[in-house]
């Protein structure tokens, strides 16, 4: 009997061995080519990080004006007669054409800090997490792991101001990648104070409807951010603040606008202006608490020296510099010239008193200025030249009146005197010791940084932009009654835009 182990292979055995050989050869070939059927290549993981500050000034419809959370007319907000029913106030959603919060604040401030968006969208992986280190305090904040998808790749956090290292970790399975980027969380807190040239007098949110259709008998209801003060985001400070917000994604800007038409140093900034209930400094303090202020824009002095009295007296009287003012801050002076000269001389002390209050030497409960804060007093624009650059003649104000008023009030480098031609053709020399704008430029002695551009754009240009300049005018003319009567001799939309640009230039330099 033969041993089974030595038995000759059958046909079936031969077939099985042939198949096994083919499989073995195939496996060897696959291994040689680098392919293994049961293995998968590791997923690619990359970490790419960026960050931006979240805007504290909103412009949700991109029309160039701030949208707040103070309520908006239910319908026809920008029409001549907006709805009197306001909606949306305080819902934390900025709507197109919505008023400032409380008529003054661009967006809500928090003691916890300012919103920042962390961006991991350029990364590759299945999940990610953040670690945020404050380099000043060494505090580390960890953000929980999130899935990495196009809809979840951004994370919003609220952080105190300061320098940080933002570390991003991205993972997929056992693979991971990490990157770290520096960042400085910075919000520029800007407080706008002052008079009608700051509040935007003559420029309610729906000013476009009035310009398109208005007249002395036109039905028009102005839509202001604050009705009492005729405050509007069409004013120069609000325009500058929004432009500053848009200028960099790595800073945010918060505007606190407490300016008010009719304000003076003693009745507005340092004292209570009738109808407002509190000083502008106290109002700002109530809105910002202990937050540090970075910029203060200030338009003040025009009402203190009797700007309105000058214009009304010159419109009503011949030889107006020598006429007796009938009303206003100058009414107790024998002549307009004497009143303007004396009140202008007092501005130096008034501006010094404001500086002492802002520094809390005399106002311990006032706002807190940051160590690097800047005060930006704005000069008043030139309202007295026509499109050819020559001195205006407008209604009953002749060139003699405008020449004197320009020198006594507006020219930052006024002549020593003005040769004023009287109605009887005799010449009287009127001494000019200083001017409103000269006193503003002198505030450099207080450490302030005057906004010169609001004058140079209008007063030093070849083309005049005064009240008589027609199509090139930046100033509203006299209105014969109606809801827009107070706009007379104030910057029109183009004028506010130019003043806003000048303030923006100064703000950028100050906050750099």
């Amino acid at each position: 009997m033969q041993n089974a182990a030595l038995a000759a292979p059958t046909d079936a055995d031969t077939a099985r061995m042939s198949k096994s050989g083919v499989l073995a050869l195939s496996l060897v070939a696959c291994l040689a080519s680098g392919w293994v059927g049961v293995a998968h290549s590791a997923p690619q993981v990359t970490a790419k990080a960026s960050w931006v500050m979240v805007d504290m000034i909103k412009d949700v419809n991109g029309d160039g004006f701030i949208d707040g959370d103070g309520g908006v007319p239910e319908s026809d907000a920008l029409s001549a007669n907006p709805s009197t029913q306001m909606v949306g106030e305080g819902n934390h959603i900025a709507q197109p054409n919505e008023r400032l919060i409380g008529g003054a604040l661009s967006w809500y401030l928090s003691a916890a800090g300012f919103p920042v968006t962390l961006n991991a969208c350029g990364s590759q992986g299945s999940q990610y997490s953040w670690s945020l280190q404050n380099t000043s305090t060494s505090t580390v904040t960890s953000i929980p792991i999130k899935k990495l998808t196009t809809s979840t790749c951004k994370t919003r956090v609220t952080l105190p101001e300061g320098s940080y290292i933002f570390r991003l970790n991205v993972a997929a399975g056992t693979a991971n990648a990490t990157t770290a980027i520096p960042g400085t969380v910075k919000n520029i807190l800007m407080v706008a104070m002052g008079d009608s040239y700051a509040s935007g007098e003559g420029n309610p949110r729906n000013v476009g409807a009035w310009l398109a259709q208005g007249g002395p008998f036109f039905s028009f209801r102005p839509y202001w951010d604050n009705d009492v003060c005729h405050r509007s985001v069409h004013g120069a400070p609000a325009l500058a603040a929004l432009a500053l917000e848009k200028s960099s994604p790595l800073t945010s800007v918060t505007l606190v606008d407490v300016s008010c038409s009719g304000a003076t140093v003693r009745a507005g900034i340092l004292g209570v202006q009738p109808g407002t209930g509190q000083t502008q400094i106290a109002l700002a303090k109530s809105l910002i608490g202990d937050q540090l202020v970075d910029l203060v824009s200030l338009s003040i002095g025009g009402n203190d020296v009797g700007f309105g009295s000058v214009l009304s007296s010159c419109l009503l009287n011949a030889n107006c510099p020598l006429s007796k003012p009938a009303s206003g801050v100058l009414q107790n002076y024998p002549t307009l010239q004497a009143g303007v000269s004396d009140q202008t001389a007092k501005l130096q002390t008034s501006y010094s008193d404001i500086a002492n209050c802002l520094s809390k030497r005399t106002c311990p409960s006032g706002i807190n200025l940051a160590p690097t804060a800047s005060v930006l007093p704005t000069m008043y624009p030139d309202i007295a030249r026509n499109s050819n650059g020559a001195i205006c003649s407008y209604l009953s104000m002749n060139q003699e009146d405008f020449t004197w008023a320009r020198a006594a009030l507006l020219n930052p480098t006024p002549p020593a005197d003005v040769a004023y031609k009287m109605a009887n053709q005799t010449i009287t020399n009127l001494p000019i010791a200083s001017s409103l704008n000269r006193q503003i430029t002198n505030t450099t002695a207080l450490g302030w940084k005057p906004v010169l551009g609001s004058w140079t754009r209008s007063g030093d240009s070849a083309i005049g932009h005064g009240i008589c300049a027609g199509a090139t005018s930046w100033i509203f003319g006299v209105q014969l009654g109606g809801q827009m009567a107070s706009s007379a001799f104030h910057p029109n939309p183009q004028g506010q835009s130019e003043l806003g640009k000048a303030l923006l230039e100064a703000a950028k330099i100050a906050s750099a």
Side-chain angles (χ1 to χ4, degrees), residues 7 43 74 97 135 153 206 361 428 433 480 504-505 510:
E74 188 173 35
N97 312 310
T135 59
C153 57
N206 58 341
R361 285 191 290 269
T428 298
L480 299 176
L504 172 63
E505 291 174 356

Side-chain angles (χ1 to χ4, degrees), residues 306 308-310 312-313 316 324-333 336:
S309 294
V310 169
S312 60
S313 293
L316 296 173
K324 179 171 174 49
S327 61
V329 68
L330 305 181
Q331 63 181 328
N332 293 326
Y333 290 94
L336 207 60

Side-chain angles (χ1 to χ4, degrees), residues 57-68 72 77-78 95-98 204-206 223 233-234 238-239 242-243 246 497:
I57 293 180
K58 320 293 183 182
D59 178 13
V60 295
N61 58 353
D63 63 354
F65 302 106
I66 298 173
D67 300 311
V72 64
L78 301 186
Q95 303 174 82
N97 312 310
E98 188 168 8
R205 282 182 177 261
N206 58 341
Y223 170 30
V233 295
H234 288 235
L239 296 176
L242 176 57
K246 291 181 176 181
S497 175

Side-chain angles (χ1 to χ4, degrees), residues 70-94:
V72 64
E74 188 173 35
S75 61
D76 304 319
L78 301 186
S79 72
N81 287 282
S83 169
T84 58
Q85 180 66 41
M86 306 299 288
V87 296
E89 180 178 2
N91 63 6
H92 289 254
I93 300 173

Side-chain angles (χ1 to χ4, degrees), residues 28-40:
V28 170
C30 291
L31 289 171
S33 66
W35 180 87
V36 179
V38 296
H40 299 280

